[in-house]
Amino acid sequence: RNAMSSIAMPMESMSIAISPGGAQDGGVADHGVLEAAIIDALASARTDPRGDLCKSLALRTAHFKGKEYYPPERGGKVAVATKEGNLAVKDAMAFLAKQPPLPPLNEPVSAGLKLSAEDHLIDRGVLGMVGHTGADGSSSADRQSRYGTWTTKCGECLWFGRVGASAETIVADLIID
């Protein structure tokens, strides 16, 4: 798990948990900085969906060969296998083009949401698995309910990626996926 970083975040209130490999330089002290940067990047995508994020997605399209993506930040020589290829990026761009601006996000306030995300991150990491169902069969709602109550809807987004990825790259990856 040292080569990859993992982030689990319930999306409604943006609580984020980052694995030990997830900080910019691998240091635990940077987790808060990366968490805040992700929240800022998500807020920017919400308030200006046709802005910088949409422009960065357009730049990605030139780096596909079939279903393989050759990220420029990896020198354009290392392929990342995708299921849908460039089509997923174009779908994300079309979504953003139609998406009206939304209110920005606030800083996370719930320690319970952060704990639920961390529980799942630890569970998935120990098993070396990906997915939303915990080893005990729990869903994101079950995990969030362990630490408090929620209303209307709840859920989570999982991102597995490379150490050193920027907040903007993480948000773009989540929107494409």
Side-chain angles (χ1 to χ4, degrees), residues 25-165:
D25 69 355
V28 174
D30 289 332
H31 287 179
V33 172
L34 182 58
E35 290 171 3
I38 292 168
I39 291 169
D40 288 346
L42 283 165
S44 177
R46 288 172 57 93
T47 59
D48 187 16
R50 290 177 280 294
D52 291 340
L53 175 64
C54 200
K55 292 172 190 166
S56 74
L57 291 180
L59 294 175
R60 278 191 185 205
T61 60
H63 299 282
F64 276 88
K65 293 179 185 170
K67 292 186 179 182
E68 292 185 332
Y69 175 57
Y70 292 83
E73 61 271 16
R74 295 185 186 182
K77 298 178 184 196
V78 178
V80 175
T82 69
K83 290 183 181 179
E84 299 171 317
N86 210 10
L87 180 61
V89 178
K90 290 179 180 178
D91 284 348
M93 290 168 51
F95 168 79
L96 291 171
K98 294 178 187 174
Q99 178 62 39
L102 298 171
L105 296 168
N106 295 319
E107 291 288 327
V109 294
S110 172
L113 284 174
K114 185 166 180 113
L115 290 170
S116 72
E118 288 175 352
D119 283 355
H120 193 53
L121 188 65
I122 291 167
D123 179 51
R124 298 289 81 193
V126 168
L127 297 174
M129 306 278 295
V130 296
H132 295 284
T133 304
D136 61 357
S138 62
S139 67
S140 62
D142 296 330
R143 290 185 293 277
Q144 290 174 43
S145 294
R146 290 177 191 157
Y147 298 103
T149 58
W150 53 270
T151 58
T152 60
K153 297 178 181 181
C154 70
E156 68 188 2
C157 286
L158 303 175
W159 178 86
F160 297 88
R162 191 176 174 103
V163 171

